[in-house]
Amino acid sequence: MSTATPVVLSSLRRTANDLFDDFLLPPEIVTLRAQVREFADTVLAPRAVELNTAEESKDVFPHDILRQMAAAGLYEIPYPEDVGGRGLEHRMLATATVLEELAYYSPGVASALYDGQAILVGKTLEAAPAHIRNDYLPMLIRGEIVGSFATSEPAASTDLSAQAMKTIARRVEGGFRLSGQKRWITNSCVADIMTVLCVVDGEQAMLLVDMHEDGVHVGDPDRKMGNRLQLTSDVYFDDVFVANDQVIAAPGSGLRAALASLALGRIGIGAVGVGMAQRSFDLAVAHMRERSAFGKKLAEFQHWQFRFAEHAIAIESARSLYQKAALKVDSRRVPEPEASMAKVSGSRVPVDVTRDAIQVHGGYGFLRELSADGCSYPLESIWRDCKIGEIYEGANEVQLWSIARAALGRDLTG
């Protein structure tokens, strides 16, 4: 497949420069956004077609990009200096900003290589006992290991209660024997370590599993509608030994540890969605300014003017929500209900914007590649990729329920 792109895409105007004013953001975030955007323009943009259209297989995981991200210091951003991080004042806001910029070109890189690695795995390790935190986080930051975060199971995903969960760890001398099956586990087929939510004596714990241990078996990557670079596989634990010193969260504290990371992940999903929506918006604006119909530019039709004005409002609202939720985390405040709001709005907005971006492109929006000239078109992959944001890490219906409980009270909403 050719990776050529239409001329209009090679000089795509960033409309956020005109519509989004960063005057309220801390200076370190403004500087960081420029640095990460340069990285994305240089490293991700030339490979976006390849990254976003590859079929799932273990071989497509971009280890080279992970190493480049580590070399550029991107994995230092979420963490304090004592483990090799940058020690930024606004670490969660910085992390979410990175996600938006990476997702502009490749949602899969943002989700699998950064959200999964730096938020779900990394933040779980950061809250682990000191010996785990200090051993593993520096390796993750340097890009020496790939991590994976395992909570979901065939019959336990949105419902992560101990009653629903079938992955069990039984106590043995020196540690535990872990057995069970996990599903939808990002990066599992390439992971070196995995943080595993399981049940011990009827209570939930979080264990750190070496993926090279005897008894660990990982299935082939799932074949999904979209977000194919975020490789997911089933993981089977067959009496896997986990030592006592590999307990991240003791029985009774496991679910709390998992949910703490997932709350941050919801902010990340909001940021990834904004990045996708912004890309689709920019593509649509460029097309409407160039394409004519019935004797005038598409941008001159009031229908499209109003539609994309509404989309501009929605993108800015979603961006502001993820930033506010992230700032609450950085201020050591509970990021709710903003994290749930950010997840819902940030996952909805790329679906809505991309649908209209495809519509305004007409047949070109429906294309992967035009055979006549070999040009590739990105909207179809964005359309496939964005839907999962409304489903994973807490379906949007659950987030709406959480928001409703805050508004109406638990006595009426359950």
Short mmCIF file of all heavy atoms in Angstrom, two decimals, residues 84-130:
data_model
loop_
_atom_site.label_atom_id
_atom_site.label_comp_id
_atom_site.label_asym_id
_atom_site.label_seq_id
_atom_site.Cartn_x
_atom_site.Cartn_y
_atom_site.Cartn_z
N GLY A 84 13.52 8.91 38.33
CA GLY A 84 14.00 9.25 36.99
C GLY A 84 13.06 10.10 36.18
O GLY A 84 13.28 10.32 34.98
N GLY A 85 12.01 10.62 36.83
CA GLY A 85 11.07 11.49 36.12
C GLY A 85 11.53 12.93 36.07
O GLY A 85 12.58 13.29 36.63
N ARG A 86 10.73 13.76 35.42
CA ARG A 86 11.10 15.17 35.28
C ARG A 86 10.77 15.99 36.53
O ARG A 86 11.27 17.10 36.68
CB ARG A 86 10.36 15.79 34.08
CG ARG A 86 10.80 15.25 32.74
CD ARG A 86 10.32 16.14 31.60
NE ARG A 86 10.58 15.53 30.31
CZ ARG A 86 10.36 16.12 29.14
NH1 ARG A 86 9.85 17.37 29.12
NH2 ARG A 86 10.62 15.50 28.01
N GLY A 87 9.89 15.47 37.38
CA GLY A 87 9.53 16.22 38.56
C GLY A 87 8.73 17.47 38.26
O GLY A 87 8.88 18.50 38.94
N LEU A 88 7.85 17.40 37.27
CA LEU A 88 7.03 18.56 36.91
C LEU A 88 6.03 18.87 38.02
O LEU A 88 5.62 17.99 38.78
CB LEU A 88 6.28 18.29 35.60
CG LEU A 88 7.14 18.06 34.35
CD1 LEU A 88 6.25 17.68 33.18
CD2 LEU A 88 7.96 19.31 34.02
N GLU A 89 5.60 20.10 38.06
CA GLU A 89 4.60 20.51 39.06
C GLU A 89 3.23 19.98 38.71
O GLU A 89 2.44 19.60 39.58
CB GLU A 89 4.57 22.03 39.19
CG GLU A 89 3.61 22.52 40.25
CD GLU A 89 3.59 24.04 40.37
OE1 GLU A 89 4.40 24.71 39.68
OE2 GLU A 89 2.77 24.57 41.15
N HIS A 90 2.91 19.94 37.42
CA HIS A 90 1.58 19.53 36.95
C HIS A 90 1.72 18.25 36.12
O HIS A 90 1.57 18.26 34.91
CB HIS A 90 0.94 20.65 36.14
CG HIS A 90 0.83 21.95 36.88
ND1 HIS A 90 1.81 22.92 36.82
CD2 HIS A 90 -0.13 22.41 37.71
CE1 HIS A 90 1.45 23.95 37.57
NE2 HIS A 90 0.28 23.66 38.13
N ARG A 91 1.98 17.16 36.80
CA ARG A 91 2.35 15.94 36.10
C ARG A 91 1.18 15.31 35.35
O ARG A 91 1.34 14.80 34.24
CB ARG A 91 2.95 14.93 37.09
CG ARG A 91 4.35 15.32 37.56
CD ARG A 91 4.96 14.24 38.43
NE ARG A 91 4.33 14.19 39.74
CZ ARG A 91 4.31 13.13 40.53
NH1 ARG A 91 4.84 12.00 40.11
NH2 ARG A 91 3.75 13.16 41.71
N MET A 92 -0.02 15.30 35.95
CA MET A 92 -1.15 14.69 35.26
C MET A 92 -1.60 15.53 34.08
O MET A 92 -1.93 15.01 33.02
CB MET A 92 -2.32 14.48 36.24
CG MET A 92 -3.46 13.65 35.63
SD MET A 92 -2.94 11.98 35.17
CE MET A 92 -3.93 11.70 33.70
N LEU A 93 -1.60 16.83 34.25
CA LEU A 93 -1.94 17.70 33.12
C LEU A 93 -0.93 17.54 32.00
O LEU A 93 -1.29 17.51 30.82
CB LEU A 93 -2.02 19.16 33.58
CG LEU A 93 -2.35 20.19 32.50
CD1 LEU A 93 -3.66 19.87 31.80
CD2 LEU A 93 -2.40 21.60 33.11
N ALA A 94 0.33 17.42 32.35
CA ALA A 94 1.37 17.22 31.34
C ALA A 94 1.16 15.90 30.62
O ALA A 94 1.27 15.82 29.38
CB ALA A 94 2.74 17.26 32.00
N THR A 95 0.84 14.84 31.36
CA THR A 95 0.63 13.52 30.78
C THR A 95 -0.55 13.54 29.81
O THR A 95 -0.48 12.98 28.70
CB THR A 95 0.39 12.49 31.89
OG1 THR A 95 1.51 12.48 32.77
CG2 THR A 95 0.18 11.10 31.32
N ALA A 96 -1.64 14.17 30.20
CA ALA A 96 -2.82 14.25 29.34
C ALA A 96 -2.52 15.07 28.08
O ALA A 96 -3.01 14.76 26.99
CB ALA A 96 -3.99 14.86 30.10
N THR A 97 -1.71 16.10 28.23
CA THR A 97 -1.33 16.92 27.07
C THR A 97 -0.52 16.10 26.07
O THR A 97 -0.71 16.20 24.86
CB THR A 97 -0.52 18.15 27.54
OG1 THR A 97 -1.32 18.91 28.45
CG2 THR A 97 -0.12 19.02 26.36
N VAL A 98 0.38 15.27 26.58
CA VAL A 98 1.14 14.37 25.71
C VAL A 98 0.18 13.47 24.93
O VAL A 98 0.33 13.28 23.71
CB VAL A 98 2.13 13.52 26.53
CG1 VAL A 98 2.81 12.47 25.63
CG2 VAL A 98 3.19 14.39 27.18
N LEU A 99 -0.81 12.92 25.62
CA LEU A 99 -1.75 12.02 24.96
C LEU A 99 -2.51 12.71 23.83
O LEU A 99 -2.71 12.12 22.76
CB LEU A 99 -2.74 11.46 26.00
CG LEU A 99 -2.18 10.37 26.90
CD1 LEU A 99 -3.10 10.12 28.08
CD2 LEU A 99 -1.98 9.08 26.11
N GLU A 100 -2.96 13.93 24.07
CA GLU A 100 -3.66 14.64 22.99
C GLU A 100 -2.78 14.80 21.77
O GLU A 100 -3.22 14.58 20.63
CB GLU A 100 -4.15 16.01 23.47
CG GLU A 100 -4.90 16.74 22.37
CD GLU A 100 -5.27 18.19 22.69
OE1 GLU A 100 -5.27 18.56 23.88
OE2 GLU A 100 -5.57 18.95 21.73
N GLU A 101 -1.53 15.19 21.98
CA GLU A 101 -0.64 15.45 20.85
C GLU A 101 -0.28 14.16 20.11
O GLU A 101 -0.20 14.15 18.88
CB GLU A 101 0.62 16.17 21.34
CG GLU A 101 0.37 17.58 21.83
CD GLU A 101 -0.20 18.50 20.74
OE1 GLU A 101 0.20 18.35 19.56
OE2 GLU A 101 -1.04 19.36 21.07
N LEU A 102 -0.06 13.07 20.83
CA LEU A 102 0.25 11.80 20.16
C LEU A 102 -0.97 11.29 19.40
O LEU A 102 -0.84 10.77 18.28
CB LEU A 102 0.68 10.75 21.19
CG LEU A 102 1.98 11.03 21.96
CD1 LEU A 102 2.22 9.91 22.97
CD2 LEU A 102 3.17 11.19 21.04
N ALA A 103 -2.16 11.42 19.99
CA ALA A 103 -3.38 10.90 19.37
C ALA A 103 -3.76 11.67 18.11
O ALA A 103 -4.51 11.15 17.28
CB ALA A 103 -4.54 10.94 20.36
N TYR A 104 -3.26 12.88 17.95
CA TYR A 104 -3.54 13.65 16.74
C TYR A 104 -3.12 12.86 15.49
O TYR A 104 -3.80 12.90 14.47
CB TYR A 104 -2.80 14.98 16.80
CG TYR A 104 -3.15 15.95 15.69
CD1 TYR A 104 -4.27 16.77 15.78
CD2 TYR A 104 -2.36 16.06 14.56
CE1 TYR A 104 -4.59 17.67 14.77
CE2 TYR A 104 -2.66 16.95 13.54
CZ TYR A 104 -3.78 17.75 13.65
OH TYR A 104 -4.10 18.64 12.65
N TYR A 105 -2.03 12.13 15.59
CA TYR A 105 -1.57 11.32 14.46
C TYR A 105 -1.85 9.83 14.63
O TYR A 105 -2.14 9.15 13.66
CB TYR A 105 -0.06 11.51 14.25
CG TYR A 105 0.32 12.86 13.72
CD1 TYR A 105 1.09 13.72 14.49
CD2 TYR A 105 -0.10 13.29 12.46
CE1 TYR A 105 1.45 14.97 14.01
CE2 TYR A 105 0.24 14.54 11.97
CZ TYR A 105 1.03 15.38 12.76
OH TYR A 105 1.37 16.62 12.28
N SER A 106 -1.75 9.32 15.87
CA SER A 106 -1.92 7.88 16.06
C SER A 106 -2.56 7.58 17.40
O SER A 106 -1.88 7.54 18.43
CB SER A 106 -0.57 7.16 15.96
OG SER A 106 -0.74 5.77 16.19
N PRO A 107 -3.87 7.36 17.42
CA PRO A 107 -4.54 6.98 18.66
C PRO A 107 -3.98 5.71 19.27
O PRO A 107 -3.96 5.55 20.49
CB PRO A 107 -6.00 6.79 18.25
CG PRO A 107 -6.14 7.33 16.89
CD PRO A 107 -4.80 7.47 16.29
N GLY A 108 -3.50 4.79 18.42
CA GLY A 108 -2.94 3.54 18.94
C GLY A 108 -1.67 3.77 19.72
O GLY A 108 -1.46 3.16 20.78
N VAL A 109 -0.79 4.63 19.22
CA VAL A 109 0.42 4.97 19.96
C VAL A 109 0.05 5.63 21.28
O VAL A 109 0.60 5.31 22.34
CB VAL A 109 1.33 5.90 19.12
CG1 VAL A 109 2.43 6.51 19.99
CG2 VAL A 109 1.96 5.12 17.96
N ALA A 110 -0.90 6.57 21.23
CA ALA A 110 -1.32 7.25 22.45
C ALA A 110 -1.90 6.28 23.46
O ALA A 110 -1.56 6.32 24.65
CB ALA A 110 -2.34 8.35 22.12
N SER A 111 -2.76 5.37 23.01
CA SER A 111 -3.47 4.46 23.93
C SER A 111 -2.57 3.35 24.45
O SER A 111 -2.54 3.08 25.65
CB SER A 111 -4.68 3.86 23.22
OG SER A 111 -5.58 4.86 22.82
N ALA A 112 -1.84 2.68 23.55
CA ALA A 112 -1.07 1.50 23.95
C ALA A 112 0.29 1.86 24.52
O ALA A 112 0.70 1.34 25.56
CB ALA A 112 -0.91 0.57 22.76
N LEU A 113 1.00 2.75 23.84
CA LEU A 113 2.37 3.05 24.24
C LEU A 113 2.46 4.11 25.32
O LEU A 113 3.50 4.20 26.00
CB LEU A 113 3.20 3.51 23.03
CG LEU A 113 3.87 2.38 22.22
CD1 LEU A 113 2.82 1.53 21.52
CD2 LEU A 113 4.84 2.97 21.21
N TYR A 114 1.37 4.91 25.49
CA TYR A 114 1.48 5.95 26.52
C TYR A 114 0.42 5.82 27.60
O TYR A 114 0.76 5.74 28.78
CB TYR A 114 1.43 7.34 25.89
CG TYR A 114 2.18 8.34 26.75
CD1 TYR A 114 3.57 8.32 26.80
CD2 TYR A 114 1.51 9.28 27.52
CE1 TYR A 114 4.27 9.22 27.62
CE2 TYR A 114 2.20 10.18 28.33
CZ TYR A 114 3.58 10.14 28.36
OH TYR A 114 4.27 11.00 29.18
N ASP A 115 -0.85 5.78 27.26
CA ASP A 115 -1.88 5.63 28.29
C ASP A 115 -1.69 4.31 29.03
O ASP A 115 -1.61 4.27 30.26
CB ASP A 115 -3.27 5.69 27.65
CG ASP A 115 -4.40 5.71 28.68
OD1 ASP A 115 -4.43 4.83 29.54
OD2 ASP A 115 -5.25 6.60 28.61
N GLY A 116 -1.60 3.20 28.28
CA GLY A 116 -1.43 1.91 28.92
C GLY A 116 -0.14 1.81 29.69
O GLY A 116 -0.10 1.29 30.82
N GLN A 117 0.95 2.29 29.11
CA GLN A 117 2.27 2.15 29.73
C GLN A 117 2.48 3.17 30.85
O GLN A 117 2.89 2.81 31.96
CB GLN A 117 3.33 2.35 28.63
CG GLN A 117 4.77 2.20 29.08
CD GLN A 117 5.29 0.78 28.99
OE1 GLN A 117 4.54 -0.18 28.99
NE2 GLN A 117 6.60 0.64 28.92
N ALA A 118 2.21 4.44 30.58
CA ALA A 118 2.58 5.49 31.53
C ALA A 118 1.52 5.77 32.58
O ALA A 118 1.85 6.20 33.68
CB ALA A 118 2.89 6.79 30.76
N ILE A 119 0.24 5.53 32.25
CA ILE A 119 -0.81 5.79 33.23
C ILE A 119 -1.23 4.51 33.94
O ILE A 119 -1.03 4.37 35.14
CB ILE A 119 -2.03 6.47 32.58
CG1 ILE A 119 -1.66 7.88 32.06
CG2 ILE A 119 -3.17 6.59 33.59
CD1 ILE A 119 -2.81 8.66 31.48
N LEU A 120 -1.79 3.56 33.22
CA LEU A 120 -2.35 2.38 33.89
C LEU A 120 -1.28 1.57 34.60
O LEU A 120 -1.39 1.27 35.79
CB LEU A 120 -3.12 1.52 32.89
CG LEU A 120 -4.38 2.16 32.30
CD1 LEU A 120 -5.08 1.19 31.35
CD2 LEU A 120 -5.33 2.62 33.38
N VAL A 121 -0.23 1.22 33.89
CA VAL A 121 0.85 0.45 34.53
C VAL A 121 1.70 1.35 35.42
O VAL A 121 1.94 1.05 36.59
CB VAL A 121 1.73 -0.24 33.47
CG1 VAL A 121 2.92 -0.94 34.14
CG2 VAL A 121 0.92 -1.24 32.67
N GLY A 122 2.16 2.47 34.87
CA GLY A 122 3.09 3.32 35.60
C GLY A 122 2.53 3.88 36.89
O GLY A 122 3.20 3.89 37.93
N LYS A 123 1.29 4.35 36.86
CA LYS A 123 0.70 4.92 38.07
C LYS A 123 0.38 3.84 39.10
O LYS A 123 0.40 4.11 40.31
CB LYS A 123 -0.54 5.73 37.71
CG LYS A 123 -0.23 7.03 36.96
CD LYS A 123 0.65 7.94 37.81
CE LYS A 123 0.99 9.23 37.12
NZ LYS A 123 1.82 10.13 37.96
N THR A 124 0.11 2.62 38.64
CA THR A 124 -0.07 1.52 39.57
C THR A 124 1.26 1.20 40.27
O THR A 124 1.31 0.99 41.48
CB THR A 124 -0.60 0.27 38.84
OG1 THR A 124 -1.85 0.59 38.22
CG2 THR A 124 -0.82 -0.88 39.81
N LEU A 125 2.34 1.19 39.50
CA LEU A 125 3.66 0.95 40.08
C LEU A 125 4.09 2.08 41.00
O LEU A 125 4.74 1.85 42.02
CB LEU A 125 4.70 0.77 38.97
CG LEU A 125 4.54 -0.46 38.08
CD1 LEU A 125 5.57 -0.43 36.96
CD2 LEU A 125 4.68 -1.75 38.89
N GLU A 126 3.72 3.31 40.66
CA GLU A 126 4.10 4.45 41.49
C GLU A 126 3.49 4.35 42.89
O GLU A 126 4.08 4.81 43.87
CB GLU A 126 3.68 5.76 40.82
CG GLU A 126 4.22 6.99 41.54
CD GLU A 126 3.84 8.29 40.86
OE1 GLU A 126 3.12 8.26 39.84
OE2 GLU A 126 4.26 9.36 41.34
N ALA A 127 2.30 3.76 42.98
CA ALA A 127 1.62 3.62 44.26
C ALA A 127 1.96 2.30 44.96
O ALA A 127 1.43 2.02 46.04
CB ALA A 127 0.11 3.72 44.06
N ALA A 128 2.84 1.49 44.37
CA ALA A 128 3.20 0.19 44.93
C ALA A 128 4.19 0.37 46.08
O ALA A 128 4.73 1.46 46.29
CB ALA A 128 3.81 -0.68 43.84
N PRO A 129 4.45 -0.69 46.84
CA PRO A 129 5.50 -0.63 47.86
C PRO A 129 6.83 -0.15 47.28
O PRO A 129 7.11 -0.36 46.08
CB PRO A 129 5.59 -2.08 48.36
CG PRO A 129 4.22 -2.63 48.13
CD PRO A 129 3.75 -1.99 46.85
N ALA A 130 7.65 0.45 48.12
CA ALA A 130 8.86 1.15 47.66
C ALA A 130 9.78 0.28 46.82
O ALA A 130 10.33 0.73 45.80
CB ALA A 130 9.60 1.73 48.86
#
